[in-house]
Amino acid sequence: MAGAPVELLLSPLSLAILGLAVGSFLNVVIHRLPLMLERRWWADVHHQLQDAASFERIFGAPLPASIGQATSGLGEAITKLTPYGLARPGSCCPSCTKPIRWYQNIPLVSWIWLRARCESCNASISARYPLIEALCAAVFAAVGWRLGAQPVALLWCGFAAALLALSVIDWDTTVLPDDLTLPLLWAGLLASAAGWTLPISQAVIGAAAGYMALWSVYWLFKLATGKEGMGYGDFKLLAAMGAWLGWQALLPIVLAASILGAMVGIGMKFAGALREGRYVPFGPFLAGAGIVIMLLGTSRALDWLGWA
C-alpha cells in the first residue's frame, strides 16, 4: 500500500470510495450533532438557573423557589442521561434499537442488500442515508477530476464534506453549528497561510467580507422590517467559504444561493410545504453554491457572469 502511486491513491475512483466512507460518517454527524448541541444547551440552562445572583441582577428580585425546584429536577434529569457523542453509543436501529453489525453498515451496499429494511424489525431505512453517501462520493470524485492527483485534493474534499453536513443540518434544524462553521473557517485560513490554497491576503479579506456582507444584510432587513431574515450561522458559513475560496467568489456564491433559494421557496409555497413561520433555511443554498464554485472555479464563474 505504501508503494502505491499517488495517481492511484488520489484518483477520482479512489476518492469516490473514500467519499462513500466519509458520507457514512456524515450521516452520523448530521443525526447526532444537533442532539449533542441540545444536550449542551439544556446543561447551560441548568447552570444559568442556578445563578441566583444573576437572576436578581436582571429581574430585581430573589430567585423564586419554584424555579429552584425546577432546576433541581432538571439537574437530576441531566445526570441520568447516558453518554452520547459521535463515537458512543454504537449505531443502532432507531425503531428496535438493535445494534447495527459491521456488514449492515457498509456505505451504499448494505442499504441495497438489505432492501432498505432493518434486518431485525423490518422497519424502513430512509433513502437519505445512501443519497448522502453517494453525493459525497460524487463530489469527492469531482474534486479528484478537477484537481488531479495531488494531496491538496484531500483538503478540498474535507471542505466539501463539511459543507454537505452543514447544509443538511441547517435544512433539518435551521441551525448552522459553530462546532462546524468555526473550525471550517480556521482551517481555511491555516490552509492559506501554509500555501496550500490561495494567498493569505485573499483568504483573510474573503473571511471578513463574507461575514460582513451577510451581517449588513441582516441588520438592514431587521431595521426595515423588524424581523430577522437569517441567522448568525449564515454569516460564519459565508466567512468560512471566503477563507477557502477568496473574496472574489463571494458574489457568485450569494447570487446563486439567492436565486436557487428563491426558486425552492416559491415552489414550496405553492406546494404548501413551507414550515411554520414560512421560511426556508439559507445555509443549504450557500453551501451548495460554494461546492459548485469550488468545482467550477471562481474565474470561470465570473466569466460566465460577465464580471471577469
Side-chain angles (χ1 to χ4, degrees):
M1 189 70 174
V6 173
E7 288 78 8
L8 176 62
L9 293 175
L10 297 178
S11 67
L13 178 59
S14 296
L15 290 178
I17 295 171
L18 175 62
L20 285 174
V22 172
S24 180
F25 175 68
L26 292 186
N27 279 319
V28 176
V29 174
I30 289 165
H31 176 72
R32 296 194 179 194
L33 183 57
L35 296 175
M36 291 162 59
L37 291 176
E38 286 192 69
R39 285 190 174 210
R40 193 185 309 167
W41 295 336
W42 277 111
D44 291 341
V45 168
H46 176 248
H47 176 77
Q48 186 64 35
L49 290 177
Q50 287 182 306
D51 193 341
S54 174
F55 186 94
E56 190 162 357
R57 281 196 303 271
I58 298 301
F59 298 100
L63 183 72
S66 58
I67 293 182
Q69 293 171 357
T71 303
S72 176
L74 177 59
E76 291 178 7
I78 290 173
T79 57
K80 290 179 181 178
L81 290 172
T82 56
Y84 191 80
L86 296 180
R88 291 189 303 167
S91 298
C92 65
C93 172
S95 298
C96 65
T97 69
K98 283 286 186 70
I100 296 176
R101 298 178 179 88
W102 69 267
Y103 60 84
Q104 298 170 327
N105 209 20
I106 301 172
L108 197 58
V109 175
S110 291
W111 187 83
I112 297 172
W113 176 61
L114 293 170
R115 298 181 181 180
R117 295 283 177 180
C118 172
E119 192 175 53
S120 300
C121 68
N122 205 39
S124 176
I125 302 173
S126 172
R128 192 168 83 170
Y129 297 115
L131 283 175
I132 289 174
E133 292 165 355
L135 180 58
C136 190
V139 172
F140 276 33
V143 170
W145 176 81
R146 172 82 168 79
L147 298 179
Q150 50 181 322
V152 74
L154 294 174
L155 278 179
W156 289 106
C157 286
F159 170 69
L163 291 183
L164 180 57
L166 283 164
S167 65
V168 182
I169 290 173
D170 194 31
W171 184 263
D172 287 345
T173 67
T174 68
V175 172
L176 288 166
D178 286 352
D179 298 56
L180 293 179
T181 55
L182 295 183
L184 186 63
L185 168 61
W186 285 109
L189 294 175
L190 289 173
S192 174
W196 296 332
T197 53
L198 68 168
I200 186 64
S201 60
Q202 292 186 26
V204 171
I205 295 172
Y211 189 93
M212 292 303 298
L214 292 188
W215 180 89
S216 301
V217 171
Y218 168 90
W219 279 107
L220 287 172
F221 184 83
K222 187 171 184 178
L223 291 172
T225 66
K227 300 177 182 178
E228 296 184 355
M230 64 182 69
Y232 278 62
D234 296 310
F235 315 163
K236 299 167 190 174
L237 175 57
L238 190 58
M241 288 193 283
W244 280 89
L245 299 169
W247 62 268
Q248 300 94 331
L250 296 177
L251 191 55
I253 288 173
V254 172
L255 179 62
S258 300
I259 293 173
L260 184 57
M263 291 172 61
V264 171
I266 292 170
M268 292 178 67
K269 180 178 180 180
F270 281 109
L274 283 178
R275 311 177 198 191
E276 184 180 355
R278 306 178 69 81
Y279 59 82
V280 176
F282 194 41
F285 305 105
L286 282 176
I291 292 175
V292 170
I293 297 299
M294 174 194 70
L295 295 174
L296 183 63
T298 301
S299 59
R300 185 175 299 176
L302 293 173
D303 284 342
W304 284 5
L305 293 170
W307 296 338

